[in-house]
């Protein structure tokens, strides 16, 4: 899509001095570089094309009137827009990028659901009550969690799966996220084609239902009159100004993890970020500030401690300690104090939660020669690559004391932990954490240790919302006309011990639709 836009601009203006496509900067620059090389190869002068000035028309101002505005063309925005259109409302969906490039396009395509028709077709027994119980088992001790919102997610998950099916989505399989409770039940509905297929289906559905879908329009601020949100002011990629008036605005612009300044400001304790793959520029926080919304500050991103680094390039380990999707259960995982926290075959966020709460900015995978021989690529990467902060990813030593000192762990603690683990391996039963015995491999010299830094996705700090998706002000009263869903308003249903792939999309969808239904029900009030 970005390449077609660039091609048309270049041909129309007979110049390569065109602006890059918003939301596709890297691919745009690569395309322009390729065009320059093609011009040169054809005998032309790339500089002459690059120096041709493009006339830009004088910016204009326009007004649009509609019923509902959805901001952000991700799963929240599309779910809200389609639902509002189904309810008979006029809808404008605004997207700052000129392409569909929200975090939804990059997901693996899992959507959680309980007691769904797809589960029943596959003989999977489940219920909304069981789902809620499992969610509370994971999130129950999180201070920001609101059980009533989790209950809503569980209760409405099946209906949302049906909603996606009605938009043309088909399921490849339904899987469990981890081999142990509370994530054992097969609830993750896997889309055929993953995230891009999902977005394409929603685009087609939205267009068919008459949604006014506008790309390349950045919302600058909300229009607020007498304490009520009445619309938005926006700017097009051509510099034109728009005032769009509506009875309701639904914010679905994602979090702030494309904004490094915001990441540092809101998460000062996250000092060992190796990779961050989230989305959102933090604009939602600016909208919320306009109306004095109640912001729930969560001092960490959605992240995991696992063995992966930017320096790995195209080389990938056979299996990855504490990975959520390609886990290596054959290692011993410890925190910065040298202590074992959970079974290594528990879902990765169980380790993350405990390691973070113990005050450490990375975890460690420890193993012996037998495991090293089983995973040569993993071991090679550990011994030859460095973290983004310049530290060696791994070490090999003939004694545990040196191994511990290599990464700053208390040697006595690590020796005690490894000794206990080896006893359990010899007994063939993990009495401490109930790890599967087939993955209990005794750790013998030479010894290896791998760093597991912070691998991050989305941020959790955002607006507090109620069960209708309404944004609440500092006194916890609804802000008239303003709704939010997805990563900019998920602190009530997400925590450091993330339930698993598919929860974020479920949250976007359920509360995006909920917001739209409530907004449309109030149209006659305005």
């Amino acid at each position: 899509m970005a390449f077609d836009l660039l091609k048309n601009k270049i041909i129309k203006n007979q110049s390569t001095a065109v602006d890059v496509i918003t939301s596709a900067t890297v691919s745009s620059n690569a395309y322009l570089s390729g065009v320059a090389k093609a011009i040169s190869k054809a005998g032309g002068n790339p500089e002459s094309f690059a120096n041709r000035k493009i006339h830009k028309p004088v910016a204009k101002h326009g007004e649009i009137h509609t019923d509902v505005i959805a901001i952000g063309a991700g799963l929240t925005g599309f779910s809200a827009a389609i639902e509002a259109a189904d309810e008979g409302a006029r809808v404008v969906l605004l997207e700052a990028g000129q392409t569909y490039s929200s975090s939804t396009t990059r997901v693996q395509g899992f959507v959680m659901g309980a007691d769904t028709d797809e589960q029943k077709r596959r003989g999977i027994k489940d219920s909304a009550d069981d789902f809620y119980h499992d969610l509370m088992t994971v999130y129950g001790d999180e201070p920001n969690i609101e059980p009533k919102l989790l209950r809503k997610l569980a209760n409405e998950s099946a209906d949302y799966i049906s909603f996606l099916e009605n938009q043309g989505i088909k399921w490849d399989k339904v899987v469990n996220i981890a081999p142990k409770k509370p994530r054992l039940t097969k609830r993750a509905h896997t889309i055929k084609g993953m995230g891009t297929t999902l977005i394409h289906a929603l685009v087609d559905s939205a267009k068919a239902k008459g949604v006014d879908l506008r790309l390349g329009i950045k919302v600058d601020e909300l229009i607020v009159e007498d304490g009520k949100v009445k619309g938005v002011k926006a700017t097009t990629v051509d510099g034109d100004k728009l005032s769009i008036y509506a009875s309701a605005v639904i914010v679905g612009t994602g979090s702030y993890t494309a904004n490094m300044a915001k990441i540092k400001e809101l998460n000062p304790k996250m000092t060992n970020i190796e990779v961050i793959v989230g989305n959102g520029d933090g604009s939602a926080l600016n909208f919320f500030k306009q109306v004095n919304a109640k912001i729930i500050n969560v001092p960490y991103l959605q992240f995991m401690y696992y063995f992966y680094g930017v320096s790995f390039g195209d080389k990938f380990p056979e299996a990855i300690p504490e990975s959520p999707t390609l886990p290596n259960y054959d290692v011993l995982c410890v925190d910065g104090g040298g202590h074992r926290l959970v079974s290594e075959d528990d879902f990765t966020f169980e380790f993350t939660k405990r390691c973070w709460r113990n005050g450490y900015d990375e975890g460690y995978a420890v193993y012996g020669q037998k495991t090293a021989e089983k995973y040569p690529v993993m071991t090679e990467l550990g011994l030859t690559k460095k973290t983004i902060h310049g530290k060696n990813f791994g070490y090999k030593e003939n004694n545990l004391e040196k191994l511990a000192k290599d990464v700053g762990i208390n040697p006595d603690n690590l020796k005690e932990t490894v000794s206990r683990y080896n006893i359990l391996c010899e007994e063939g039963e993990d009495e401490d954490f109930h790890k599967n015995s087939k993955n209990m491999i005794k750790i013998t010299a030479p010894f290896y240790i791998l760093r597991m830094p912070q691998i991050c996705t989305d941020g959790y700090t955002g607006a507090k919302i109620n069960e209708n998706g309404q944004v609440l002000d500092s006194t916890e009263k609804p802000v008239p006309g303003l709704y939010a869903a997805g990563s900019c308003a998920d602190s009530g249903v997400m925590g450091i011990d993330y339930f698993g792939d598919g929860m974020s999309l479920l949250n976007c969808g359920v509360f995006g639709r909920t917001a739209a239904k409530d907004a449309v029900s109030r149209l006659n009030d305005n």
Side-chain angles (χ1 to χ4, degrees), residues 235 256 399 455:
T235 304
Y256 55 86
N399 66 71
I455 310 297

Side-chain angles (χ1 to χ4, degrees), residues 35-75:
V35 170
K37 290 178 181 178
I39 293 172
S40 180
K41 192 172 183 179
N45 184 354
E47 289 187 8
S48 66
F49 281 89
N51 291 332
R52 290 179 184 175
K53 293 184 179 180
I54 298 175
H55 173 70
K56 293 187 177 181
V58 177
K60 296 176 288 187
H61 184 274
E63 279 192 12
I64 299 173
H65 294 265
T66 189
D67 294 325
V68 176
I69 298 168
I71 310 175
L75 192 58

Side-chain angles (χ1 to χ4, degrees), residues 188-325:
H189 295 61
T190 309
I191 297 165
K192 289 184 177 179
M194 303 173 67
T196 52
T197 297
L198 172 59
I199 286 296
H200 288 154
L202 295 175
V203 169
D204 291 343
S205 179
K207 288 179 177 178
K209 295 173 187 291
V211 173
D212 185 356
L213 214 174
R214 299 188 177 221
L215 300 178
I217 298 186
K218 183 180 184 301
V219 175
D220 301 313
E221 61 180 311
L222 303 175
I223 297 172
V224 184
E225 299 174 1
D226 298 324
K228 296 181 179 180
V229 175
K230 294 290 189 177
V232 302
K233 291 183 179 180
T235 304
T236 72
V237 291
D238 295 323
D240 294 334
K241 300 294 182 180
L242 290 174
S243 295
I244 308 175
Y245 294 91
S247 297
V249 174
I250 303 172
V251 181
T253 54
S255 67
Y256 55 86
T257 45
N259 185 332
M260 285 306 298
K262 277 291 179 189
I263 290 172
K264 291 178 181 178
E265 174 192 341
L266 298 174
N267 308 276
K269 293 182 179 180
M270 294 206 66
T271 56
N272 192 28
I273 295 174
E274 176 71 19
V275 175
I276 188 160
V277 293
N279 206 6
D281 61 2
S283 58
L285 295 172
N286 297 330
F287 304 148
F288 301 148
K289 186 177 180 180
Q290 263 192 270
V291 295
N292 195 30
K294 185 176 182 65
I295 301 298
I296 304 299
N297 293 297
V298 180
Y300 50 78
L301 301 170
Q302 182 185 108
F303 79 99
M304 300 149 278
Y305 299 101
Y306 72 82
F307 175 63
Y308 184 72
V310 174
S311 63
F312 290 7
D314 295 332
K315 205 162 190 178
F316 217 70
E318 302 90 345
I320 302 173
E322 291 300 333
S323 164
T325 54

